[in-house]
Short mmCIF file of all heavy atoms in Angstrom, two decimals:
data_model
loop_
_atom_site.label_atom_id
_atom_site.label_comp_id
_atom_site.label_asym_id
_atom_site.label_seq_id
_atom_site.Cartn_x
_atom_site.Cartn_y
_atom_site.Cartn_z
N SER J 12 -123.03 -178.86 27.86
CA SER J 12 -121.95 -179.45 28.61
C SER J 12 -121.55 -178.55 29.77
O SER J 12 -121.69 -177.35 29.73
CB SER J 12 -120.73 -179.66 27.69
OG SER J 12 -119.63 -180.10 28.43
N THR J 16 -115.46 -182.83 33.40
CA THR J 16 -116.02 -184.18 33.26
C THR J 16 -114.96 -185.25 33.42
O THR J 16 -115.06 -186.33 32.85
CB THR J 16 -116.67 -184.33 31.88
OG1 THR J 16 -115.70 -184.04 30.86
CG2 THR J 16 -117.84 -183.38 31.72
N ALA J 129 -86.81 -167.97 37.69
CA ALA J 129 -85.86 -167.34 36.77
C ALA J 129 -86.32 -167.50 35.33
O ALA J 129 -86.22 -166.57 34.51
CB ALA J 129 -84.48 -167.94 36.96
N LEU J 198 -121.20 -153.73 13.86
CA LEU J 198 -122.44 -154.48 14.08
C LEU J 198 -122.17 -155.87 14.62
O LEU J 198 -123.03 -156.46 15.29
CB LEU J 198 -123.23 -154.57 12.77
CG LEU J 198 -123.95 -153.30 12.33
CD1 LEU J 198 -124.62 -153.51 10.98
CD2 LEU J 198 -124.98 -152.87 13.36
N GLN J 261 -127.52 -161.91 18.90
CA GLN J 261 -127.72 -160.71 19.71
C GLN J 261 -129.06 -160.67 20.41
O GLN J 261 -129.15 -160.20 21.56
CB GLN J 261 -127.52 -159.47 18.83
CG GLN J 261 -126.06 -159.29 18.41
CD GLN J 261 -125.86 -158.15 17.42
OE1 GLN J 261 -126.77 -157.37 17.16
NE2 GLN J 261 -124.66 -158.05 16.87
N ALA J 323 -102.03 -137.64 39.02
CA ALA J 323 -102.77 -138.79 38.52
C ALA J 323 -102.82 -139.86 39.59
O ALA J 323 -101.85 -140.11 40.28
CB ALA J 323 -102.10 -139.33 37.26
N VAL J 401 -131.16 -119.72 26.98
CA VAL J 401 -131.97 -119.97 25.78
C VAL J 401 -132.69 -118.68 25.42
O VAL J 401 -133.41 -118.12 26.25
CB VAL J 401 -132.97 -121.11 26.04
CG1 VAL J 401 -133.85 -121.33 24.81
CG2 VAL J 401 -132.22 -122.40 26.38
N LEU J 438 -127.05 -130.18 23.51
CA LEU J 438 -128.05 -130.59 22.52
C LEU J 438 -128.84 -131.76 23.12
O LEU J 438 -128.52 -132.92 22.88
CB LEU J 438 -127.37 -131.03 21.22
CG LEU J 438 -126.36 -130.06 20.60
CD1 LEU J 438 -125.63 -130.73 19.45
CD2 LEU J 438 -127.06 -128.79 20.13
N ASN J 451 -127.46 -151.36 8.55
CA ASN J 451 -127.44 -151.18 7.11
C ASN J 451 -126.00 -151.38 6.66
O ASN J 451 -125.09 -150.72 7.19
CB ASN J 451 -127.94 -149.77 6.76
CG ASN J 451 -128.06 -149.54 5.28
OD1 ASN J 451 -127.20 -149.96 4.51
ND2 ASN J 451 -129.11 -148.86 4.88
N HIS J 454 -123.77 -148.28 5.90
CA HIS J 454 -123.32 -147.38 6.94
C HIS J 454 -122.14 -147.95 7.71
O HIS J 454 -122.16 -149.11 8.14
CB HIS J 454 -124.46 -147.07 7.92
CG HIS J 454 -125.37 -145.98 7.44
ND1 HIS J 454 -125.07 -144.65 7.59
CD2 HIS J 454 -126.56 -146.03 6.79
CE1 HIS J 454 -126.04 -143.92 7.08
NE2 HIS J 454 -126.95 -144.72 6.57
N ARG J 460 -122.10 -140.82 15.45
CA ARG J 460 -120.78 -140.66 14.85
C ARG J 460 -120.92 -140.30 13.37
O ARG J 460 -120.12 -139.51 12.83
CB ARG J 460 -119.96 -141.93 15.02
CG ARG J 460 -118.55 -141.86 14.41
CD ARG J 460 -117.72 -140.70 14.95
NE ARG J 460 -116.40 -140.70 14.36
CZ ARG J 460 -115.31 -141.26 14.93
NH1 ARG J 460 -115.42 -141.85 16.11
NH2 ARG J 460 -114.15 -141.22 14.32
N ARG J 478 -123.10 -119.71 3.20
CA ARG J 478 -123.36 -119.82 4.63
C ARG J 478 -122.72 -121.09 5.18
O ARG J 478 -123.38 -122.09 5.45
CB ARG J 478 -124.87 -119.83 4.89
CG ARG J 478 -125.57 -118.52 4.64
CD ARG J 478 -125.11 -117.41 5.60
NE ARG J 478 -125.31 -117.77 7.00
CZ ARG J 478 -126.42 -117.54 7.69
NH1 ARG J 478 -127.46 -116.97 7.09
NH2 ARG J 478 -126.51 -117.87 8.96
N GLY J 494 -134.37 -143.18 14.76
CA GLY J 494 -134.63 -143.86 16.03
C GLY J 494 -136.07 -143.77 16.48
O GLY J 494 -136.47 -144.45 17.43
N LEU J 532 -131.97 -135.94 1.56
CA LEU J 532 -131.89 -137.06 0.62
C LEU J 532 -132.51 -136.75 -0.73
O LEU J 532 -132.46 -137.57 -1.65
CB LEU J 532 -132.58 -138.29 1.22
CG LEU J 532 -131.98 -138.86 2.50
CD1 LEU J 532 -132.84 -140.00 3.02
CD2 LEU J 532 -130.55 -139.32 2.29
N VAL J 668 -116.62 -104.50 20.54
CA VAL J 668 -116.55 -103.08 20.21
C VAL J 668 -117.31 -102.84 18.92
O VAL J 668 -117.17 -103.60 17.96
CB VAL J 668 -115.08 -102.64 20.04
CG1 VAL J 668 -115.01 -101.23 19.45
CG2 VAL J 668 -114.35 -102.66 21.36
N GLY J 682 -107.39 -101.77 4.41
CA GLY J 682 -106.28 -102.56 4.95
C GLY J 682 -105.63 -101.91 6.15
O GLY J 682 -105.23 -102.59 7.10
N VAL J 695 -112.33 -109.51 13.78
CA VAL J 695 -113.43 -108.92 13.04
C VAL J 695 -114.52 -109.97 12.86
O VAL J 695 -114.32 -111.00 12.22
CB VAL J 695 -112.96 -108.39 11.67
CG1 VAL J 695 -114.14 -107.82 10.89
CG2 VAL J 695 -111.87 -107.34 11.85
N LEU J 714 -116.98 -96.81 7.55
CA LEU J 714 -116.71 -98.19 7.92
C LEU J 714 -117.42 -98.50 9.22
O LEU J 714 -117.30 -97.75 10.20
CB LEU J 714 -115.20 -98.44 8.09
CG LEU J 714 -114.34 -98.31 6.83
CD1 LEU J 714 -113.76 -96.91 6.73
CD2 LEU J 714 -113.22 -99.33 6.84
N LEU J 826 -115.71 -103.42 -6.32
CA LEU J 826 -114.52 -102.73 -6.79
C LEU J 826 -114.81 -101.93 -8.06
O LEU J 826 -115.61 -102.34 -8.90
CB LEU J 826 -113.41 -103.75 -7.09
CG LEU J 826 -113.11 -104.79 -6.00
CD1 LEU J 826 -112.04 -105.76 -6.49
CD2 LEU J 826 -112.67 -104.10 -4.71
#
Side-chain angles (χ1 to χ4, degrees):
S12 174
T16 57
L198 285 177
Q261 291 174 9
V401 178
L438 308 171
N451 185 319
H454 277 277
R460 179 57 179 264
R478 290 295 302 272
L532 297 175
V668 170
V695 178
L714 295 94
L826 310 177

